[in-house]
Amino acid sequence: MSKSASWALRSFTVVNYVFLIGISVLCVLPLIHLLAMSLSSNNAVATGSVTFWPVEFTWKSYQFIIEKPEFMTSFFISVKRVFLGVVINMVLTILVAYPLSKEAGKFKGRTIYVWIFVFTMLFSGGIIPLYMTMRSLGMLDTIWALVLTHAVPVYNVVILLNFFRALPKELEEAALIDGAGAWRTLWSVYLPLSTPSLATLTLFATVSHWNAWFDGILFMNTPVNYPLQSYLYTVVVGLDTLIKSNTDLEVLSLISDRTARAAQIFLGALPILVIYPFLQRYFTKGIILGSVKE
Amino acid sequence: MPLHLMLIPGLAAILIFQYYPMAGIVIAFQKFMPTQGLFHSKWIGLDNFRYLLELPDFYRVLWNTIYIAFMKIVVGLVVPIVIAILLNEVRKEVFKRLIQTLVYLPHFLSWVILSGILLDVLSPKDGIVNAALRALGLPSIFFLGSNHWFPFTLVVTNEWKEFGFSTIVYLAAILGINPALYEAATMDGANRFKQILHITLPGMAPIIVLLATLSIGNVMNAGFEQVFNLYSPVVYESGDIIDTFVYRIGMVDAQYGVATAVGLFKSLVSLILISVSYVLAYRFANYRIF
């Protein structure tokens, strides 16, 4: 190994590290800027002196938001939605993935069933027919419209069924010899071995329910029923005027539209920021996205 | 038998909430009146489609959709490949994991949150991006309010959100490369650049081909959530895509028939493209999703 080669390698390593640090900082910097603004005074934000650290630190924006009924109502609708939605998603994902993970020879009709599910990933009626359906089912303005439209996340089903198939076949045979039926095998053999996949899918389901906003706008006629992200949409595009009463006016002299908006957006992202690091480590093991067969 | 039983709840849900709405596609062939219902509205054959084809807006929207989606696909293929290779060259596990945690993060935030951030950060008057540009002596750019810049802003911000998460697949592909190949190359005197060129890249080739093939199916998907959150009437000319167009003429103007017709058009074209891409993926890469 010549000296110049190792010098080239070392400088590549340094450049590579600096570059990677640069782009990863770029991924979180805007969020930090937002947090800094939400914790700064109205005045500091207006003069543009806030970058990545709060200037004239204050909790005022957060106090204002927490006392804002619209925010808290929609926050709790979202919590309820995530709880209901994730339970339904996970139960149905497991119940669909397990039979479909069987070989066609062992489970008659598997191929037909698979196509019934997969076809919905390829084709849909579109938003207008979906809206009409929810209307005729009387689900507009109820949480069921948000929770049930994607009760079976087919994409997650595909991930889980591929994970099930990658588990050793001998385990299932052993369970069958010991007299376990399908339910028992699923519950005591497959599920305990699938923690990485189940953790990943729970994260995906949680994130998709927490982040969903368009269905709220589509299916909820009255903004009181908006989940948090739909409510935030109205805040972000400015349909929402903060001023509702005289006391609000007084508070608003201390905070600005921009700081209050920053605080709301940050609170909307907070639950994700909190759970994400705990479940993130399962990703590489948990996702088996289809397979390239030999 | 228990296997069939297990499928019942899932099947029921999918029949009611996915297949039943598909019947509503008949709206595309009707002068649909919500008060008269699905099967009592006046049938008008292909009139909605004819109306569409005469609409100059339709062609602009179609072009925007394909143009934006195509740019996103190309950038979305190249950037994650580069980042995955660079990440793979990092030998310190802790550092690698930290970088991964940070770059995956934006993928998990909603477009509402991100557009809230972007609207502020990219603002021409008091956004920090333009403040930085001004500090460098460059003119301010109205990224979200100029028809010239809007499509590029969509592509760049979308990539910013997704590149980290997209690298996962490529990193997995690199992990699957036989380590003996690298050892042999080192013995033959190949340096790191040569190894990237002759082992890592060819090792990733199958997955690159596969993802490129599958991306054909996405040419009609320019990203509804992103556009809907970031656009405004000022940039309809360059940023209006099929999905946002359907929403506006359907839900805002209440022209249900026309909107459903556009939606059906898009769904059918997408279905064909996705089917073609899956067939190709199966031919060339022997890929099956299940």
Side-chain angles (χ1 to χ4, degrees):
Chain A
M1 211 23 93
S2 68
K3 246 201 177 116
S4 69
S6 76
W7 182 84
L9 179 62
R10 224 178 305 151
S11 49
F12 165 73
T13 309
V14 171
V15 171
N16 189 21
Y17 274 50
V18 170
F19 176 76
L20 289 174
I21 292 173
I23 57 158
S24 46
V25 165
L26 215 56
C27 285
V28 284
L29 217 49
L31 207 60
I32 295 173
H33 174 62
L34 185 86
L35 178 62
M37 280 204 315
S38 69
L39 290 169
S40 299
S41 75
N42 179 15
N43 195 21
V45 171
T47 53
S49 50
V50 182
T51 48
F52 306 112
W53 197 254
V55 178
E56 297 169 29
F57 183 91
T58 168
W59 287 108
K60 281 282 187 308
S61 298
Y62 286 92
Q63 275 169 10
F64 177 67
I65 298 312
I66 303 286
E67 284 161 15
K68 208 165 171 315
E70 294 92 334
F71 184 90
M72 291 320 280
T73 315
S74 63
F75 187 92
F76 285 116
I77 291 173
S78 275
V79 171
K80 199 167 120 192
R81 168 186 188 161
V82 167
F83 185 75
L84 266 175
V86 171
V87 170
I88 293 174
N89 278 171
M90 289 311 290
V91 169
L92 293 181
T93 302
I94 292 167
L95 288 184
V96 172
Y98 178 70
L100 296 189
S101 71
K102 299 289 159 235
E103 303 296 321
K106 279 193 191 158
F107 175 41
K108 276 209 191 77
R110 174 192 179 265
T111 322
I112 299 166
Y113 285 127
V114 167
W115 278 110
I116 292 178
F117 284 97
V118 169
F119 185 70
T120 63
M121 288 207 289
L122 310 178
F123 188 81
S124 74
I127 60 165
I128 312 287
L130 184 62
Y131 177 80
M132 295 299 167
T133 303
M134 296 324 260
R135 211 169 75 146
S136 66
L137 291 174
M139 285 187 180
L140 292 185
D141 258 328
T142 71
I143 196 157
W144 300 110
L146 310 177
V147 169
L148 290 177
T149 31
H150 294 286
V152 188
V154 181
Y155 183 81
N156 292 4
V157 169
V158 172
I159 293 177
L160 189 62
L161 88 84
N162 280 312
F163 194 90
F164 281 163
R165 295 181 124 195
L167 296 173
K169 296 262 176 303
E170 292 75 18
L171 285 168
E172 191 190 10
E173 283 157 19
L176 279 174
I177 291 168
D178 289 346
W183 293 94
R184 189 65 201 260
T185 316
L186 171 62
W187 183 255
S188 356
V189 178
Y190 276 77
L191 291 188
L193 289 172
S194 309
T195 349
S197 202
L198 293 174
T200 307
L201 297 184
T202 308
L203 174 68
F204 285 178
T206 308
V207 168
S208 80
H209 276 293
W210 182 265
N211 279 348
W213 53 276
F214 179 67
D215 49 5
I217 291 178
L218 188 62
F219 297 135
M220 300 296 149
N221 294 330
T222 35
V224 194
N225 292 324
Y226 277 0
L228 184 61
Q229 303 285 327
S230 309
Y231 164 74
L232 285 180
Y233 171 79
T234 65
V235 173
V236 166
V237 300
L239 302 176
D240 168 81
T241 39
L242 283 169
I243 305 157
K244 290 270 158 64
S245 66
N246 281 337
T247 43
D248 279 358
L249 266 177
E250 279 166 41
V251 186
L252 275 173
S253 59
L254 300 168
I255 60 167
S256 72
D257 215 35
R258 259 179 103 196
T259 56
R261 203 190 308 185
Q264 295 184 81
I265 294 167
F266 187 78
L267 285 178
L270 195 59
I272 303 282
L273 299 177
V274 171
I275 59 159
Y276 161 78
F278 294 102
L279 293 171
Q280 188 258 122
R281 65 203 169 98
Y282 292 109
F283 285 174
T284 24
K285 271 198 247 157
I287 318 173
I288 302 179
L289 246 189
S291 51
V292 177
K293 271 112 195 161
E294 292 299 319
Chain B
M1 214 41 216
L3 293 179
H4 291 276
L5 269 178
M6 275 183 199
L7 278 176
I8 289 175
L11 270 177
I14 215 137
L15 289 177
I16 299 170
F17 298 106
Q18 304 293 326
Y19 284 94
Y20 179 61
M22 284 182 205
I25 287 172
V26 295
I27 296 171
F29 307 96
Q30 293 175 335
K31 190 171 172 60
F32 182 70
M33 297 287 177
T35 44
Q36 289 166 342
L38 212 53
F39 293 98
H40 303 282
S41 293
K42 199 176 155 212
W43 292 88
I44 52 168
L46 294 174
D47 277 7
N48 285 328
F49 292 92
R50 234 167 264 144
Y51 171 79
L52 265 180
L53 295 180
E54 282 162 16
L55 216 61
D57 279 3
F58 177 68
Y59 297 97
R60 198 199 60 208
V61 165
L62 186 61
W63 166 251
N64 288 345
T65 309
I66 296 170
Y67 178 60
I68 294 168
F70 181 76
M71 282 202 293
K72 280 185 177 176
I73 288 171
V74 174
V75 177
L77 273 171
V78 176
V79 177
I81 293 172
V82 174
I83 303 293
I85 292 174
L86 292 179
L87 259 176
N88 186 52
E89 294 303 315
V90 171
R91 295 289 183 262
K92 287 199 174 61
E93 266 312 305
V94 184
F95 181 76
K96 195 169 162 183
R97 201 146 338 128
L98 177 72
I99 299 284
Q100 282 175 286
T101 308
L102 294 179
V103 295
Y104 294 168
L105 181 64
H107 169 82
F108 290 93
L109 299 173
S110 72
W111 270 117
V112 173
I113 301 286
L114 293 180
S115 74
I117 297 174
L118 290 172
L119 286 168
D120 197 282
V121 168
L122 297 177
S123 148
K125 201 169 76 237
D126 37 31
I128 44 169
V129 173
N130 275 309
L133 284 179
R134 278 194 298 270
L136 292 169
L138 298 164
S140 296
I141 295 172
F142 194 0
F143 293 98
L144 297 169
S146 128
N147 278 308
H148 175 69
W149 289 101
F150 190 68
F152 301 109
T153 311
L154 288 178
V155 174
V156 172
T157 54
N158 181 63
E159 199 50 29
W160 169 67
K161 182 181 196 289
E162 301 297 347
F163 81 89
F165 201 69
S166 313
T167 57
I168 293 184
V169 195
Y170 297 107
L171 281 173
I174 296 176
L175 280 180
I177 298 172
N178 187 350
L181 290 174
Y182 289 101
E183 283 160 30
T186 317
M187 297 291 276
D188 291 344
N191 61 27
R192 290 273 273 280
F193 302 100
K194 288 250 167 72
Q195 291 181 19
I196 293 175
L197 209 61
H198 297 295
I199 302 173
T200 313
L201 263 176
M204 294 165 79
I207 200 86
I208 296 175
V209 172
L210 176 66
L211 291 182
T213 314
L214 292 180
S215 69
I216 298 170
N218 269 324
V219 172
M220 298 295 271
N221 286 320
F224 171 74
E225 303 222 338
Q226 182 193 18
V227 177
F228 196 73
N229 272 286
L230 289 176
Y231 83 161
S232 56
V234 198
V235 287
Y236 280 174
E237 192 190 319
S238 66
D240 204 8
I241 59 171
I242 294 180
D243 296 317
T244 48
F245 186 64
V246 168
Y247 179 80
R248 281 209 322 280
I249 54 176
M251 302 311 294
V252 181
D253 302 343
Q255 294 185 310
Y256 297 112
V258 183
T260 311
V262 195
L264 180 59
F265 167 79
K266 188 211 153 185
S267 294
L268 282 177
V269 176
S270 285
L271 178 65
I272 294 168
L273 290 174
I274 296 171
S275 308
V276 168
S277 72
Y278 272 68
V279 170
L280 290 177
Y282 182 58
R283 281 271 165 80
F284 293 130
N286 213 4
Y287 171 83
R288 271 171 278 175
I289 47 164
F290 48 83

